[in-house]
Amino acid sequence: VRLGRQGGQLGSEALRLWTDYLFENLDLHRIGLATWSLNPRMIRVAEKLGFQYEGRERELIQWRERWHDRLLFSMLRSEWEARRADSGRG
């Protein structure tokens, strides 16, 4: 799914809504996500929303004659709950 750049916040809002939906409706302890080192916007979105960097799989894919890493992030339910309480949405 490509979300585009309308206002620069659409991707952030979509991931926030999806994260909220998963934690509110499923008995999950942790949500993980992966993105590529060539996608700095997604990296910023994950960090902005409170996902914690866990590591990288180095030079996993080659695209346009360059090697790129897969970056791993996660959020725990307790971190999500704390962020919601801090933002007044809890």
Side-chain angles (χ1 to χ4, degrees):
V1 174
R2 285 195 72 130
L3 297 173
R5 294 195 63 175
Q6 294 88 355
Q9 299 299 314
L10 189 55
S12 296
E13 183 65 8
L15 182 58
R16 185 191 63 75
L17 289 169
W18 182 241
T19 302
D20 288 350
Y21 175 83
L22 291 174
F23 279 127
E24 288 171 355
N25 293 286
L26 301 172
D27 186 25
L28 298 177
H29 175 68
R30 175 187 182 279
I31 295 173
L33 70 82
T35 191
W36 300 104
S37 56
L38 57 83
N39 191 349
R41 290 189 344 216
M42 185 61 208
I43 295 165
R44 282 192 303 275
V45 166
E47 292 171 340
K48 172 183 167 182
L49 295 181
F51 282 80
Q52 300 297 308
Y53 174 74
E54 292 188 326
R56 72 176 54 226
E57 295 175 283
R58 300 178 333 153
E59 297 187 358
L60 192 60
I61 61 164
Q62 190 174 27
W63 187 66
R64 294 191 177 176
E65 301 179 12
R66 292 187 56 205
W67 285 98
H68 300 279
D69 303 343
R70 182 164 54 182
L71 307 180
L72 307 172
F73 294 85
S74 73
M75 181 182 293
L76 303 177
R77 176 177 291 279
S78 59
E79 295 165 341
W80 173 76
E81 289 170 344
R83 287 182 68 87
R84 284 178 58 98
D86 289 345
S87 70
R89 289 188 292 128

